[in-house]
Amino acid sequence: MGEGRTIVGRRALGRFWSALLCLPLLAAPFALAAASPKEISVPTRDGRRAVIEGDLFLRVPVPKKGGLAAVAKRYTGDAAREKDLLPFNRVRKGRRLTEARVPAALLTPAYARELQAALFPDDARTKEGWEHRFERGSWSDLARWFTGDAGNAPNLKAANKKLRTLKKGDHVFVPYGLLREPFRRFALPGEPAPTPATGAPQGGAPSPQGAGTAPPIAPPVVPAAPASPPVAAPPATDPRALLTYGKDEKGAYALYRLQAHEALYSAVVVRFTGNVSAPDVNALALEIAQRSGITNVTGIPIGFPVKIPVDELLPQFLPADDARFVAWQANETRVGEVPKPTHSASLDGVVVILDAGHGGLDRGAVKNGVWEDSYVYDIVCRIHQGLESRTKARVLLTLMEPALGLKPQETKSLTPNTGAVILTHPWFRQESTAETKVEVNLRWYLANQYFERLAKEGTDPARVVFTSIHADSLHPSLRGTMFYVPGTAYRSAKWSQSGAAYEKFAEYKAKPIYTQTDEEQVQTEGLSRQFSRCLEKSFKDRALPLHPFQPTRDHVVRGRRAWVPAVLRNTVVPCSLLVEVCNIANKEDAELLKDPAYRQAIAEAYIDALIAYYS
Ligand SMILES: [Zn+2]
């Protein structure tokens, strides 16, 4: 929640009267506010005009040379966008267009910022979305300006329950899921600003007519963003630099000194031990507190030494002479040497096997009014649709809900996919919850048979990707997406299932037992991690929340055990990944998952990452 939102008072009636009394006084110095909120024009700091004419536009001068195409190139980053500008810029016969309207949705982030600074100088992009300081307009106006769709007014209202009536100075919160482009791409405070596609305004911009008194000012120098910005909080240096090691009567420990604003469960337990489930995090935090002599976990002084049992540490945090650390480091080296896959930026020849994580009688995690199966299925449908329309990739599915087909659902309230089937031969439809394990195993049998068939048909194995989409239920303080890759250390060389439950399926009959060499598994881990790095970057680029410490993991830690989920552990596809799109035990993440715009953003970030992986 943004800090500003707490400012809102509860005495709505009192505020109403005081607002009414202040109105004539306030209105006088703001001549602009007196105009209809649908028609506002403000000069920008660079001498253009930021206008509200129903929607938001930047009014810019049209150069004699190049015309509207030059405008499109400069302000949207793409000359071909000229056709998108035409409907907003009707030219009268025999006259030259001297000023053009560029809709906010098409502006590069740098020009969108110029527009924002003029129209909404007190607004800010926040981690959760956007904070708007209310000046004028209705809920529908705000929805049109900030979400791109006036129809989002009820959603925007719902996100601001404390605001019964809109008053000047109120803080209106726009959740990220609703926020339109290009505001979504605005850098967060402290992050490098995005580099504009065709450069920020250069030199003194020509002053359009009616620009008012503000003379053109040279734009501030925008620092170039690093090619690949760091994704998570940990520094690039050895993460063990934060720890020292010792021993007490209970055995070996790692010592960490708590920093300002750090909490034991997140900064210590989640970060260093990899535990994420609520009971595990709470139990281990208690154990660590007792061992460290902490009596009040909510009032730990800054710099207080916290003892973490060495046995609980993730391998990368172990002392250098620990056998687990040595093995981990050796694996890292091998995985890091795996060469990149062959290029195919259009994804020509690429096949993506998509696995919607749950369905049928297995709904997956259920929390805060959402559940896994139908919500992750909707994301799979969106990835499928996007890949088919944007790229040349082929999509194969492990699961389908025949009643729904593959059409994305543009609604917040989905219904459970009780009729979902695994697309084996014959189809598998769960008849009791006891069959959930069979369903899980049939997923990888099917994925493996897809892969073997593709290989036989001549598909390059390096152009097949397997992705299972899930949503997790973790400690409620955690937010964001996590990616699981199949850690070589957690896999076996041979695996199979047996029993009557499997024998009727062609996929099982074709090959009941799988084997893989260590070398093949290292290859898989290497490629999968390359893909996950692309995913981390594209999620970051779209400002989608990522898990704060290790967004990519090679195993699950739960109930003091470590393993790779079966659907990943047992697939033979050389690039295999499991995505936990968010933590539905966290209320904000659960709200995001309900939002079709968020599900679409996840799908698009996935496709961008796949293109980057093959570029
Ligand atoms: Zn799941």
Side-chain angles (χ1 to χ4, degrees):
M1 182 190 273
E3 278 169 30
R5 285 192 291 151
T6 57
I7 291 168
V8 179
R10 285 181 182 187
R11 292 161 196 252
L13 203 63
R15 292 282 294 264
F16 172 73
W17 285 112
S18 66
L20 206 66
L21 292 169
C22 289
L23 209 60
L25 291 171
L26 281 170
F30 292 90
L32 292 167
S36 151
K38 307 242 186 293
E39 299 267 353
I40 286 156
S41 170
V42 183
T44 73
R45 56 158 199 243
D46 295 318
R48 284 172 277 265
R49 286 201 290 152
V51 301
I52 299 176
E53 288 163 350
D55 206 336
L56 311 174
F57 296 90
L58 196 62
R59 279 189 171 266
V60 305
V62 179
K64 277 199 182 117
K65 221 176 125 191
L68 205 54
V71 168
K73 183 159 197 287
R74 178 166 178 181
Y75 295 95
T76 78
D78 185 358
R81 278 267 156 91
E82 182 187 5
K83 63 173 180 357
D84 299 322
L85 296 182
L86 279 172
F88 304 101
N89 296 283
R90 298 252 175 257
V91 192
R92 271 188 245 145
K93 248 191 174 163
R95 303 192 71 171
R96 195 180 79 79
L97 190 70
T98 53
E99 194 188 41
R101 297 198 301 169
V102 186
L106 296 181
L107 290 170
T108 65
Y111 287 111
R113 200 170 267 288
E114 181 183 328
L115 174 124
Q116 174 249 310
L119 286 174
F120 314 115
D122 297 320
D123 282 20
R125 172 85 168 79
T126 66
K127 259 207 266 182
E128 284 77 26
W130 188 271
E131 292 284 346
H132 169 63
R133 188 139 164 268
F134 182 74
E135 278 273 343
R136 57 176 81 90
S138 63
W139 285 108
S140 294
D141 291 324
L142 298 184
R144 179 178 292 114
W145 302 338
F146 295 105
T147 79
D149 177 4
N152 272 327
N155 296 332
L156 200 56
K157 241 176 158 170
N160 292 275
K161 283 200 188 80
K162 286 185 186 168
L163 297 179
R164 289 188 190 160
T165 51
L166 287 165
K167 291 179 296 296
K168 219 178 167 98
D170 275 345
H171 286 74
V172 179
F173 168 60
V174 187
Y176 178 78
L178 291 178
L179 192 62
R180 79 190 308 184
E181 295 287 9
F183 297 142
R184 276 189 172 194
R185 280 181 289 156
F186 279 21
L188 287 167
E191 273 185 352
T195 319
T198 50
Q202 277 148 29
S207 182
Q209 70 273 38
T213 49
I217 305 163
V221 177
V222 181
S228 169
V231 164
T237 50
D238 188 342
R240 295 172 310 149
L242 300 165
L243 303 170
T244 53
Y245 302 93
K247 239 182 195 153
D248 63 13
E249 67 282 0
K250 284 186 175 152
Y253 62 77
L255 200 82
Y256 176 71
R257 288 183 187 275
L258 218 58
Q259 309 291 301
H261 311 298
E262 284 188 344
L264 186 63
Y265 58 84
S266 55
V268 175
V269 177
V270 172
R271 173 162 34 166
F272 294 116
T273 76
N275 278 283
V276 281
S277 85
D280 291 346
V281 170
N282 293 336
L284 195 50
L286 191 68
E287 186 187 321
I288 289 173
Q290 281 166 353
R291 184 164 177 178
S292 310
I294 297 164
T295 46
N296 173 12
V297 289
T298 58
I300 308 171
I302 295 165
F304 192 90
V306 176
K307 290 175 177 176
I308 313 158
V310 158
D311 291 344
E312 302 288 346
L313 291 172
L314 285 168
Q316 61 266 40
F317 297 114
L318 288 165
D321 58 355
D322 190 296
R324 272 169 68 214
F325 178 78
V326 175
W328 174 81
Q329 205 175 34
N331 186 63
E332 283 293 292
T333 308
R334 291 176 70 198
V335 165
E337 285 165 356
V338 172
K340 287 184 170 181
T342 46
H343 290 198
S344 179
S346 64
L347 303 187
D348 199 5
V350 169
V351 183
V352 183
I353 303 170
L354 290 175
D355 175 55
H358 301 264
L361 300 178
D362 166 31
R363 293 172 68 188
V366 183
K367 277 267 162 76
N368 286 319
V370 257
W371 51 90
E372 270 189 277
D373 72 347
S374 28
Y375 289 87
V376 300
Y377 182 72
D378 187 63
I379 293 173
V380 163
C381 292
R382 289 168 191 274
I383 296 175
H384 173 260
Q385 189 182 59
L387 282 172
E388 303 252 296
S389 62
R390 276 176 63 188
T391 74
K392 293 183 176 169
R394 266 175 74 196
V395 179
L396 297 171
L397 301 172
T398 61
L399 175 142
M400 204 174 114
E401 164 58 285
L404 285 175
L406 294 171
K407 201 174 170 298
Q409 306 287 302
E410 300 302 335
T411 169
K412 284 196 163 199
S413 48
L414 302 180
T415 42
N417 287 351
T418 43
V421 293
I422 301 291
L423 298 170
T424 41
H425 298 80
W427 285 0
F428 174 77
R429 185 177 268 124
Q430 223 182 321
E431 270 154 19
S432 82
T433 47
E435 287 180 332
T436 296
K437 188 173 172 238
V438 177
E439 192 187 283
V440 169
N441 288 318
L442 287 176
R443 290 165 188 272
W444 59 259
Y445 270 116
L446 175 58
N448 287 355
Q449 279 310 299
Y450 277 144
F451 177 71
E452 299 220 331
R453 201 185 72 208
L454 289 165
K456 267 187 211 137
E457 287 169 8
T459 303
D460 177 357
R463 292 198 177 180
V464 185
V465 172
F466 170 82
T467 305
S468 187
I469 309 281
H470 290 250
D472 225 336
S473 173
L474 309 173
H475 192 276
S477 69
L478 294 170
R479 288 200 65 188
T481 308
M482 292 171 79
F483 307 106
Y484 284 99
V485 299
T488 309
Y490 306 87
R491 302 182 71 188
S492 53
K494 185 178 173 186
W495 62 92
S496 64
Q497 290 294 321
S498 59
Y502 301 99
E503 278 158 13
K504 64 174 170 184
F505 297 100
E507 285 74 13
Y508 180 81
K509 279 187 258 181
K511 195 164 181 176
I513 302 169
Y514 284 87
T515 57
Q516 256 196 341
T517 64
D518 187 51
E519 197 49 54
E520 286 170 322
Q521 294 184 349
V522 167
Q523 180 80 13
T524 299
E525 188 179 345
L527 290 175
S528 307
R529 282 221 227 157
Q530 287 176 26
F531 184 30
S532 86
R533 275 196 289 277
C534 298
L535 282 161
E536 285 189 16
K537 184 176 182 307
S538 75
F539 273 63
K540 179 93 177 162
D541 287 348
R542 286 178 179 270
L544 288 164
L546 277 178
H547 181 81
F549 297 111
Q550 297 96 13
T552 296
R553 295 173 172 222
D554 63 359
H555 67 284
V556 176
V557 181
R558 203 159 293 185
R560 307 229 153 157
R561 292 197 307 119
W563 75 91
V564 171
V567 80
L568 271 193
R569 187 174 65 229
N570 299 337
T571 139
V572 292
V573 181
C575 178
S576 291
L577 227 122
L578 187 149
V579 183
E580 296 282 6
V581 291
C582 63
N583 173 23
I584 62 170
N586 175 286
K587 282 208 170 77
E588 285 157 298
D589 268 17
E591 279 309 307
L592 274 184
L593 190 58
K594 284 184 199 164
D595 190 337
Y598 173 76
R599 301 196 294 268
Q600 184 63 24
I602 295 271
E604 278 164 21
Y606 177 90
I607 296 167
D608 289 348
L610 194 67
I611 292 168
Y613 174 64
Y614 284 112
S615 295

